[in-house]
Amino acid sequence: SSASRPGNKVEAIGPFVWGMTDDSFWKLHSEWINELKVGSFIELYGVKIKSNGVTPHYDNKGHLEGIDIEFKRFYISTDANLSDKELEEFTKNYVLYNKKIEGLIDGLSSFYGNPINNDFKVDSYDIFNSDNKAKLVEWKEADTNVVLEYKNSTINNALGCDFKMTLYIKRIIEKQEK
């Protein structure tokens, strides 16, 4: 359900609305985390959230103006001398994780609308094969800006990656003209 004022969307994500206080945030946080539990994990649209990975940010009056959601790192490593069959099996890990990222993007798009920037390609594994930090997808919806960013590190003398993703949700505050 969307908590909105006429013509003005104020929902950040889940039960959180822009401008709420720290007390309200943490009260709703535990309820929301329970809703996201899948077994012993917490997942947002199929991607596991890091333990204590939800961080609120407040303005100088103590009102919510941003939320960062850190996902569990996707770490995979193997010796570089694989047979073709072993390499095929290893590559399936990238395929599966890309499908999870695709599900996350689809879920966020159902909430925030079509992305204004989308550099994710479900059939490409380039993001796992180089040291890089970049925006993957960005949305802008009413008073909310959302950026899904990743940072990847490759592993020396091995195949694999250390892939970290964070979702940055920020309130857009229009400057009032005087």
Side-chain angles (χ1 to χ4, degrees), residues 78-89:
T78 190
D79 150 353
N81 298 321
L82 298 180
S83 69
D84 289 348
K85 181 82 174 141
E86 290 170 324
L87 185 58
E88 185 180 317
E89 287 299 312

Side-chain angles (χ1 to χ4, degrees), residues 89-135:
E89 287 299 312
F90 183 79
T91 304
K92 283 182 183 176
N93 291 294
Y94 294 139
V95 172
L96 292 171
Y97 201 73
N98 260 5
K99 289 289 183 193
K100 289 182 180 200
I101 295 172
E102 180 182 45
L104 175 66
I105 292 168
D106 289 348
L108 292 167
S109 294
S110 71
F111 194 80
Y112 295 112
N114 290 329
I116 58 171
N117 294 312
N118 186 349
D119 291 330
F120 178 72
K121 293 171 183 55
V122 73
D123 55 355
S124 171
Y125 313 115
D126 292 346
I127 60 175
F128 303 118
N129 294 322
S130 62
D131 293 320
N132 200 8
K133 178 180 178 178
K135 280 184 190 179

Side-chain angles (χ1 to χ4, degrees), residues 132-149:
N132 200 8
K133 178 180 178 178
K135 280 184 190 179
L136 201 53
V137 185
E138 181 176 11
W139 295 263
K140 213 171 246 177
E141 166 63 28
D143 60 355
T144 304
N145 181 243
V146 180
V147 174
L148 181 62
E149 186 177 281

Side-chain angles (χ1 to χ4, degrees), residues 33-99:
I33 291 299
N34 281 334
E35 287 176 20
L36 297 178
K37 275 195 174 176
V38 178
S40 60
F41 296 104
I42 301 158
E43 295 182 1
L44 183 62
Y45 300 114
V47 180
K48 291 179 181 131
I49 296 175
K50 183 177 160 183
S51 177
N52 299 317
V54 179
T55 306
H57 299 280
Y58 302 95
D59 64 16
N60 59 8
K61 294 180 183 166
H63 296 113
L64 185 68
E65 68 173 10
I67 301 171
D68 299 346
I69 301 174
E70 290 180 75
F71 296 97
K72 284 184 68 108
R73 77 191 242 225
F74 171 57
Y75 180 85
I76 183 171
S77 176
T78 190
D79 150 353
N81 298 321
L82 298 180
S83 69
D84 289 348
K85 181 82 174 141
E86 290 170 324
L87 185 58
E88 185 180 317
E89 287 299 312
F90 183 79
T91 304
K92 283 182 183 176
N93 291 294
Y94 294 139
V95 172
L96 292 171
Y97 201 73
N98 260 5
K99 289 289 183 193

